[in-house]
Amino acid sequence: MSDSRLDYIFQYYIRSIDHNLKRILDEHLIPYDITNQQARIVGFISDKVKNGSTINQKDIETAMNLKGSSITSLLKGLERKGFITRMSSSKDARSKELSLTKKGETLINEFNETFIMAEETLTSGMTKDQKETFLLMLQLVNKNVEQ
């Protein structure tokens, strides 16, 4: 098989998997009336808080590689819908520390179940060895795109 044909096949499958995963996740977000990007922010806040870290808007800007105005809009929407709270930082009154509400924590618990289901769907029919190889390949691909 030629390299250009192989490249096309990779592109097709990567786009198809991306599209279908987004569809699955979006279907589970409908009852919460939030976007995939907002859910990622809720997850990021949850992870940082569980590790004992405080988190502010700048942390999210850096992690999500988004501009301040975009993050501000996303955070306002999450706060308005009751998923997060923003409070003045004890260290810097100009900075707002973010935390999850009970509604945000419920979303995380629900989404963890959704991710487990999505992972099981992705790896259905794979042997243990194939799953381990798949994980190694995913880690390599992720490292490549993070650079």
Side-chain angles (χ1 to χ4, degrees), residues 76-88:
K76 283 182 179 179
L78 287 169
E79 187 174 32
R80 186 177 60 252
K81 293 174 184 181
F83 292 101
I84 65 165
T85 58
R86 297 188 300 169
M87 299 175 61
S88 292

Side-chain angles (χ1 to χ4, degrees), residues 129-141:
D129 286 344
Q130 288 170 326
K131 288 178 184 180
E132 289 172 0
T133 300
F134 184 54
L135 177 59
L136 290 171
M137 294 299 103
L138 288 173
Q139 290 169 335
L140 177 60
V141 169

Side-chain angles (χ1 to χ4, degrees), residues 48-60:
K48 291 297 182 183
V49 170
K50 282 180 186 173
N51 291 330
S53 300
T54 57
I55 184 162
N56 61 38
Q57 182 169 328
K58 278 283 188 213
D59 298 325
I60 295 174

Side-chain angles (χ1 to χ4, degrees), residues 19-128:
H19 172 77
N20 286 308
L21 279 174
K22 283 181 182 174
R23 179 184 49 77
I24 290 168
L25 296 175
D26 285 344
E27 286 172 4
H28 285 87
L29 287 173
I30 289 170
Y32 297 97
D33 188 32
I34 65 171
T35 66
N36 194 333
Q37 200 166 35
Q38 287 174 318
R40 286 182 57 220
I41 290 172
V42 171
F44 181 77
I45 294 170
S46 174
D47 289 344
K48 291 297 182 183
V49 170
K50 282 180 186 173
N51 291 330
S53 300
T54 57
I55 184 162
N56 61 38
Q57 182 169 328
K58 278 283 188 213
D59 298 325
I60 295 174
E61 288 174 20
T62 302
M64 304 285 171
N65 198 23
L66 293 170
K67 301 222 182 284
S69 58
S70 297
I71 294 295
T72 298
S73 175
L74 290 165
L75 291 175
K76 283 182 179 179
L78 287 169
E79 187 174 32
R80 186 177 60 252
K81 293 174 184 181
F83 292 101
I84 65 165
T85 58
R86 297 188 300 169
M87 299 175 61
S88 292
S89 169
S90 57
K91 297 175 185 168
D92 181 357
R94 297 170 295 168
S95 179
K96 301 283 187 190
E97 289 182 4
L98 307 170
S99 62
L100 294 184
T101 62
K102 291 289 181 199
K103 186 176 179 180
E105 290 171 6
T106 299
L107 175 69
I108 292 301
N109 293 335
E110 292 269 329
F111 235 58
N112 285 338
E113 292 175 23
T114 300
F115 285 129
I116 289 168
M117 182 270 309
E119 182 180 318
E120 288 171 353
T121 299
L122 280 172
T123 59
S124 177
M126 289 185 189
T127 66
K128 184 176 186 282

